[in-house]
Every structure is written in structure tokens, then in C-alpha cells.
Amino acid sequence: MRVIIEPDYEALSKWAANYVANRIIQANPTPEKPFVLGCPTGSSPLGLYRNLIDMYSAGKISFQNVITFNMDEYVKLPEDHPESYHSFMWNNFFKHIDIKPENVHILNGNAPDLVAECNHYEELIAQAGGVDLFMGGIGPDGHLAFNEPGSSLSSRTRIKTLTTDTIHANSRFFDNDLSLVPKQALTVGIGTVMDAKEVLLVCSGHNKARALKHCIDGDISHKWTSSMLQMHPHAIVVCDEAACDELTVGTYKYYLDKERGNL
């Protein structure tokens, strides 16, 4: 695992966006061989998306030949609801770039058969040739996508019941009214993410410090599902100083020295 420590959220967002953009540019995608990008939602990737939009606006990158697969979506929340992940992605990213609507894939939380929807999503990813780069964030309890603590580390796309911690964390998007927060979601599995050629997570703030410690400095455990990325051959975590508050001094210095070329 590669760990990048930046001073603050803006710096980590810029680093992550530059990495993603460079990967797409280096792949030189075509209609016949597109670049497949996995996309997260939530507050963590907003800076990453803003930087990618800026690079597109500056003519540095095109998303014409990029196919996206989002990590998750709420169950029984209308797609046009302002807090649906459909709305989030179009408002914060897709409508600001040149991606083709038919290349965007987001799970349908209102599908008549949710199990069939999840299975079909896995099939679509396979038909696209797999995900080249899966972006993501880390929840305060270490969850990745909606793979809550206790999730199988070999899981595939499926229905998940959200934990009380996640419902409380997401209530800020629903006027802090817990009754309005969906209690279930469709989510890609840890196994789905692990199949990607590369995974890049962003993590910022002191409230994520314990999760980051378990992700990169603890044992692999289904209680902290993002820790499974320790087993991925090409995983990167981009974090800020505040998120490193609970790392051991040795771990913190090791990753700083490694990126500075001192190791």
C-alpha cells in the first residue's frame, strides 16, 4: 500500500485529482478501449471532483471515452431527490465534464428486483473489462462504500442495511432528521473493489483518524472493511495531517520518508 500524506484537504484533493487525470491520459482511452473509473460520493471526494472539473475546463483532460461505475446508491430514494447519489454525481461532477450519459452507471435503488439489479451491475462491470481505477473514501468506522463493519471481505454488489453510525453521519444531508435517512443501500462489495486494477482512497480530518489507523496500521478485519486494501497490489491512500493523528510515529515517518525518497 502506498500512503500519501499532504498538509490539508485542498492539497490531498489536488494530488488525488492529478493522479486520476494522469492515469486517464496515460491510458489514452478510445471508444473501443475506454477507461473504466469507479466513483464515490460523500464529502471526501468533492475536492477531487472540483480539481478534475478544473482540469477539464482548462482543456487538460477529456472524459469522452471514460466509463464510470458508482460505488453505491440509497434504496427507495427517488433518483431526482437532492440527496440521491444520482443527483450528487450529476450536480458535483458529471454535468460539468464531457462524459457521455450512456457511459455513466449508477445502481438503481428503486429497481423492482434489487438482487437482480446488483447482479446485473456486476455483469456490466465485467462486460466493460473491469474497473481500471476505483476511487473511494473511508467512513469514520472504516467502511468502504456501504460495506459496513462486519461485511464480508469477499463480498460482491448487494443490498446492505446501514449501521446506526452511518445513519447518524448521513443525517447531516437530511436536515439532521434521522427519520429521513434511508436505512438501506445498494453497494459494490469489497471483492468488487479489490478486483479493480488500482484503488485510490481519500481520507481527511481528525474524525477519520481512527479509521485511517485501522486501514493502514492495523490488522485486516471485517470490522474495518477498508483494511482489506492492505492486500491490494496497487492501493493508494491520500490523507491529510489531521487524519494521521492516531498513526504510530514509526508508520507516519515511514510513509513521509518513502515519498520524499529517503527510503
Side-chain angles (χ1 to χ4, degrees), residues 126-262:
Q127 290 168 13
V131 176
D132 292 301
L133 173 60
F134 229 133
M135 304 181 292
I138 303 175
D141 58 5
H143 72 250
L144 176 57
F146 273 131
N147 294 283
E148 304 282 38
S151 295
S152 166
L153 297 180
S154 61
S155 55
R156 313 304 302 190
T157 302
R158 69 210 186 286
I159 310 165
K160 282 294 293 183
T161 298
L162 307 185
T163 64
T164 300
D165 284 346
T166 297
I167 291 169
H168 275 271
N170 290 352
S171 67
R172 69 190 189 276
F173 302 119
F174 294 85
D175 297 323
N176 293 309
D177 187 339
L178 295 178
S179 68
L180 298 178
V181 184
K183 305 305 186 289
Q184 289 187 314
L186 304 184
T187 180
V188 296
I190 294 297
T192 313
V193 176
M194 291 292 289
D195 279 350
K197 298 178 181 71
E198 288 187 271
V199 182
L200 183 146
L201 299 190
V202 292
C203 182
S204 70
H206 176 76
N207 67 317
K208 301 290 182 72
R210 184 163 299 175
L212 183 67
K213 177 186 76 170
H214 283 278
C215 177
I216 68 175
D217 206 16
D219 296 330
I220 296 171
S221 169
H222 65 292
K223 293 296 184 181
W224 301 85
T225 54
S226 58
S227 66
M228 185 61 178
L229 290 184
Q230 294 177 35
M231 298 295 293
H232 197 285
H234 299 290
I236 302 175
V237 176
V238 191
C239 55
D240 59 12
E241 292 281 353
C244 295
D245 285 351
E246 294 200 22
L247 295 182
T248 63
V249 173
T251 297
Y252 175 80
K253 288 186 174 180
Y254 169 78
Y255 284 118
L256 279 181
D257 285 344
K258 188 176 179 182
E259 291 304 319
R260 289 170 178 167
N262 295 331

Side-chain angles (χ1 to χ4, degrees), residues 58-77:
K60 296 178 180 178
I61 187 172
S62 170
F63 295 87
Q64 279 279 313
N65 297 316
V66 173
I67 292 176
T68 63
F69 286 92
N70 258 76
M71 281 189 156
D72 39 34
E73 178 59 289
Y74 289 119
V75 168
K76 298 190 185 308
L77 194 67

Side-chain angles (χ1 to χ4, degrees), residues 54-125:
D54 288 344
M55 281 185 267
Y56 162 72
S57 299
K60 296 178 180 178
I61 187 172
S62 170
F63 295 87
Q64 279 279 313
N65 297 316
V66 173
I67 292 176
T68 63
F69 286 92
N70 258 76
M71 281 189 156
D72 39 34
E73 178 59 289
Y74 289 119
V75 168
K76 298 190 185 308
L77 194 67
E79 285 188 7
D80 59 358
H81 188 284
E83 296 304 331
S84 77
Y85 290 158
H86 280 76
S87 294
F88 177 97
M89 290 306 302
W90 284 101
N91 291 334
N92 292 296
F93 190 35
F94 294 147
K95 75 178 184 182
H96 304 287
I97 58 175
D98 61 343
I99 194 165
K100 298 173 182 175
E102 62 268 26
N103 284 348
V104 171
H105 300 88
I106 305 176
L107 283 155
N108 180 7
N110 295 287
D113 186 335
L114 294 178
V115 173
E117 170 68 10
C118 293
N119 292 337
H120 181 56
Y121 206 67
E122 289 279 342
E123 292 169 1
L124 289 174
I125 293 174

